[in-house]
């Protein structure tokens, strides 16, 4: 009887620790802020995707999700403040402008977080990133603008 030779793929045994994960999140936070500031041309989306992928892969997806949620909330609060402060004749224009910019921004952020959406949310009940902005936006709009 012959023995079968099993070759396992190489897997480095260096797990990402919490400090490394926080450092990667800091760089992603800066990059997402650059996207919100409409300065995305200086970013490498491949590198950003890889960083987000590595966070989820090494079980730091909750850090990524919570950080993105907090960042989106703060950006939407800033937009709501601008809309609330606008004169009545500019109100609809400001709402439309803010919504268009938010949509463009969230498409870019979604592209970075694609792996998180596909894997992290199939294992838990958190809302995917693409619906996160609508969940975050609704209470602010109801309380601040109605």
């Amino acid at each position: 009887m012959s023995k079968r030779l099993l070759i396992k793929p190489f897997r480095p045994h260096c797990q990402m620790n919490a400090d490394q994960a926080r450092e990667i999140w800091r760089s992603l936070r800066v990059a997402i802020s650059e996207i919100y500031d409409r300065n995305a041309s200086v970013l490498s989306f491949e590198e950003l995707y890889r960083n987000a992928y590595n966070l989820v892969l090494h079980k730091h997806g909750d850090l990524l999700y919570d950080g993105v949620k907090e960042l989106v909330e703060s950006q939407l609060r800033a937009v709501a403040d601008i809309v609330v402060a606008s004169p009545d004749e500019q109100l609809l224009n400001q709402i439309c402008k803010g919504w268009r910019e938010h949509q463009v921004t969230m498409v870019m952020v979604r592209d970075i977080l694609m792996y998180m959406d596909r894997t992290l949310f199939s294992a838990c009940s958190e809302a995917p990133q693409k619906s996160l902005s609508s969940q975050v936006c609704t209470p602010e709009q109801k309380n601040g603008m109605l």
Side-chain angles (χ1 to χ4, degrees), residues 107-126:
V107 166
M108 288 187 247
V109 172
R110 182 194 65 205
D111 291 344
I112 296 168
L113 303 176
M114 200 179 313
Y115 183 74
M116 180 182 77
D117 277 349
R118 284 193 320 229
T119 58
L120 189 62
F121 302 113
S122 63
C124 69
S125 62
E126 295 289 339

Side-chain angles (χ1 to χ4, degrees), residues 5-35:
L5 179 63
L6 179 65
I7 300 174
K8 295 181 181 178
F10 174 73
R11 297 184 193 266
H13 295 296
C14 57
Q15 289 294 322
M16 183 185 298
N17 65 34
D19 291 333
Q20 291 170 321
R22 281 191 293 274
E23 187 60 35
I24 290 173
W25 163 242
R26 279 194 274 289
S27 70
L28 284 169
R29 183 179 59 211
V30 168
I32 293 171
S33 295
E34 288 292 324
I35 292 170

Side-chain angles (χ1 to χ4, degrees), residues 38-50:
R38 290 171 293 291
N39 196 18
S41 62
V42 299
L43 301 173
S44 166
F45 280 83
E46 179 183 350
E47 181 181 343
L48 298 174
Y49 176 86
R50 192 173 343 120

Side-chain angles (χ1 to χ4, degrees), residues 48-65:
L48 298 174
Y49 176 86
R50 192 173 343 120
N51 285 338
Y53 171 85
N54 284 330
L55 282 176
V56 174
L57 184 67
H58 291 286
K59 311 296 184 212
H60 296 285
D62 54 341
L63 171 71
L64 179 61
Y65 180 83

Side-chain angles (χ1 to χ4, degrees), residues 88-101:
D88 289 345
E89 61 273 1
Q90 293 284 319
L91 185 62
L92 288 177
N93 288 335
Q94 285 294 340
I95 291 172
C96 289
K97 178 184 175 194
W99 178 246
R100 279 192 306 268
E101 289 176 358

